[in-house]
Amino acid sequence: GAVAHWHKELYREEKKGGTLLGRAKRTLRRPVHLVGRLDRSVSGLSLLAFDPETAEALQSVNASKVYYALCRNSGETFLDRGRFAVTRPLLDKKPFGKKHGNIMKESYTDVEVLVGGKDPNCCLVRAEPKTGRYHQIRRHLRNITLPILGDTYCKKRTREYFESFGIQLPRRVMLHLYSIRVPATEKTPEIYVTCPLPPNFQHFIRDSFPSWASQAQELLPELFLVAPVKLPPVPPVTPKALESRNTVTPPRRGLWVRFKDWLQRRGLGRRETTSLARHW
């Protein structure tokens, strides 16, 4: 995962590998603007625009999003209900846990429990939020006894429960944004994009829940698409390569020191060399 954009409270993540916007700018070599954001521990789609006008136009329309989540519950009480709505109002919050006040806002999420089983209790859930409250899917599923794996709610007890079955939970929230549909705007046509589950998500389902993993794959084959990865052939090790491994190369001198030495060889004094090198 990557931080979507720079923030003063997340400056260390910038040093670790850069933000999503920074990586996109380096790859595309042009400015980009974030349209929708995801939590770092959540996988899925992120929309980017090349200019602020297009980004503003895409944000002004109501996009429909479909998420899939793994929840700690067998799901037996919900399997026969089909799709149902969770309309419990939620307390309005800001990122990083800050509150706007004791203001309850209307919230609406379509939920459908697809497959699930016991020992360990877990199910695959489809969620489609109609409103955009802070952590809406996590909070709505938690309210109907379907907490998402990896969420902060009862995180320690959930980890201990699955470890009793020999299952190590990934260090992420098991929530994935599968599809985004954006209606046409003045700047863009209608947009519909999908993204299958990442490999670590798929392997976790197959390895941890064999009782219903094949049923989920037959029911939702588009979720389990994995692009084939071709690894480059390993070159044979030659005697010359072995000799280069055993030889110790001396450490390279810094560019600053080499530049000052070059200036001193041109006849400049030590003080002038240091001053010129600093300006350079």
Side-chain angles (χ1 to χ4, degrees), residues 8-47:
K8 62 181 180 180
E9 298 186 21
L10 299 172
Y11 67 95
R12 293 182 180 177
E13 305 299 332
E14 180 73 23
K15 297 180 180 179
K16 289 183 180 179
T19 62
L20 175 64
L21 284 179
R23 296 179 184 179
K25 289 178 182 178
R26 290 194 298 270
T27 303
L28 301 174
R29 296 184 178 181
R30 59 184 301 183
V32 291
H33 302 268
L34 188 64
V35 178
R37 68 185 66 186
L38 285 174
D39 295 336
R40 184 183 177 185
S41 55
V42 176
S43 58
L45 295 163
S46 290
L47 292 182

Side-chain angles (χ1 to χ4, degrees), residues 161-173:
Y161 170 76
F162 279 93
E163 286 178 353
S164 64
F165 291 91
I167 298 174
Q168 187 71 29
L169 292 181
R171 296 191 177 275
R172 54 156 295 174
V173 179

Side-chain angles (χ1 to χ4, degrees), residues 107-177:
S107 307
Y108 190 100
T109 306
D110 276 339
V111 177
E112 183 179 5
V113 178
L114 302 171
V115 290
K118 293 185 175 181
D119 299 330
N121 295 340
C122 189
C123 60
L124 181 63
V125 178
R126 180 184 183 274
E128 186 174 350
K130 302 298 183 180
T131 52
R133 307 293 173 240
Y134 177 68
H135 285 179
Q136 176 176 319
I137 296 177
R138 303 191 200 187
R139 296 158 73 187
H140 266 173
L141 292 181
R142 184 171 54 193
N143 290 336
I144 59 173
T145 68
L146 292 171
I148 300 177
L149 301 186
D151 196 11
T152 54
Y153 179 73
C154 295
K155 187 175 182 179
K156 182 178 179 181
R157 288 197 300 175
T158 302
R159 187 171 297 276
E160 292 174 351
Y161 170 76
F162 279 93
E163 286 178 353
S164 64
F165 291 91
I167 298 174
Q168 187 71 29
L169 292 181
R171 296 191 177 275
R172 54 156 295 174
V173 179
M174 303 306 289
L175 179 64
H176 177 77
L177 175 54

Side-chain angles (χ1 to χ4, degrees), residues 58-95:
L58 292 174
Q59 291 173 348
S60 63
V61 295
N62 294 324
S64 60
K65 301 178 181 180
V66 176
Y67 292 80
Y68 289 92
L70 285 180
C71 300
R72 184 190 167 181
N73 193 321
S74 62
E76 292 181 347
T77 57
F78 300 98
L79 285 173
D80 298 332
R81 293 183 60 178
R83 183 180 297 188
F84 59 95
V86 182
T87 59
R88 181 172 180 174
L90 297 174
L91 187 66
D92 196 15
K93 291 184 178 181
K94 289 182 179 180

Side-chain angles (χ1 to χ4, degrees), residues 118-269:
K118 293 185 175 181
D119 299 330
N121 295 340
C122 189
C123 60
L124 181 63
V125 178
R126 180 184 183 274
E128 186 174 350
K130 302 298 183 180
T131 52
R133 307 293 173 240
Y134 177 68
H135 285 179
Q136 176 176 319
I137 296 177
R138 303 191 200 187
R139 296 158 73 187
H140 266 173
L141 292 181
R142 184 171 54 193
N143 290 336
I144 59 173
T145 68
L146 292 171
I148 300 177
L149 301 186
D151 196 11
T152 54
Y153 179 73
C154 295
K155 187 175 182 179
K156 182 178 179 181
R157 288 197 300 175
T158 302
R159 187 171 297 276
E160 292 174 351
Y161 170 76
F162 279 93
E163 286 178 353
S164 64
F165 291 91
I167 298 174
Q168 187 71 29
L169 292 181
R171 296 191 177 275
R172 54 156 295 174
V173 179
M174 303 306 289
L175 179 64
H176 177 77
L177 175 54
Y178 168 70
S179 68
I180 300 177
R181 185 185 297 275
V182 183
T185 66
E186 297 178 356
K187 294 277 186 179
T188 60
E190 182 182 6
I191 299 173
Y192 177 70
V193 287
T194 61
C195 176
L197 296 177
N200 61 348
F201 205 125
Q202 297 186 32
H203 293 325
F204 179 72
I205 293 177
R206 293 192 182 104
D207 298 340
S208 305
F209 314 108
S211 60
W212 53 266
S214 57
Q215 182 183 356
Q217 191 167 355
E218 293 176 1
L219 183 65
L220 301 164
E222 64 276 6
L223 279 183
F224 295 86
L225 296 176
V226 179
V229 179
K230 295 182 180 181
L231 298 177
V234 180
V237 180
T238 60
K240 187 176 181 180
L242 290 175
E243 291 178 2
S244 61
R245 290 181 184 178
N246 297 329
T247 57
V248 179
T249 57
R252 295 182 60 183
R253 303 179 67 190
L255 182 61
W256 179 286
V257 178
R258 286 185 289 163
F259 182 58
K260 287 198 297 184
D261 292 345
W262 181 81
L263 292 174
Q264 289 178 1
R265 288 197 299 268
R266 294 300 183 273
L268 294 178

